[in-house]
Amino acid sequence: MQRQTSAHETSSESEKPFLKISFLTLLKVGVTSNYGRSIALLIGFIGTLYGGFQDVVNSFEVNEEEVNGLVDQGLSYFSLSFF
């Protein structure tokens, strides 16, 4: 019976963590230890977001002269249909 207790004690000793580190501390150490790669990754991510944002903004731009010309042409066709 004493062998079972000692086996249980050794397994519980091996389950104890060697070092406790919080997630935030681990994240800080990871970012600062590879600062060159981290900065490049952040710049790439921000550049990608900026490019996507510019694409969305450009897709909503409307040429007013083109729209006015199409409206005038539509009104001309509409008025001709009455004659």
Side-chain angles (χ1 to χ4, degrees):
M1 190 171 238
Q2 191 172 5
R3 284 187 155 220
Q4 290 174 353
T5 307
S6 63
H8 181 66
E9 288 175 5
T10 56
S11 66
S12 66
E13 289 176 4
S14 64
E15 290 177 7
K16 291 182 182 177
F18 177 71
L19 182 64
K20 284 188 174 183
I21 299 176
S22 70
F23 179 74
L24 185 59
T25 303
L26 188 63
L27 183 66
K28 288 178 189 176
V29 169
V31 168
T32 56
S33 65
N34 296 319
Y35 65 91
R37 283 188 254 169
S38 299
I39 290 172
L41 185 64
L42 285 173
I43 289 172
F45 180 71
I46 291 170
T48 303
L49 286 178
Y50 179 75
F53 181 72
Q54 286 298 324
D55 289 342
V56 169
V57 168
N58 289 336
S59 68
F60 286 117
E61 285 185 9
V62 177
N63 188 357
E64 290 182 25
E65 292 176 8
E66 203 174 305
V67 172
N68 288 337
L70 290 173
V71 169
D72 289 340
Q73 185 180 8
L75 288 175
S76 298
Y77 289 147
F78 182 71
S79 64
L80 286 175
S81 66
F82 282 117
F83 293 119

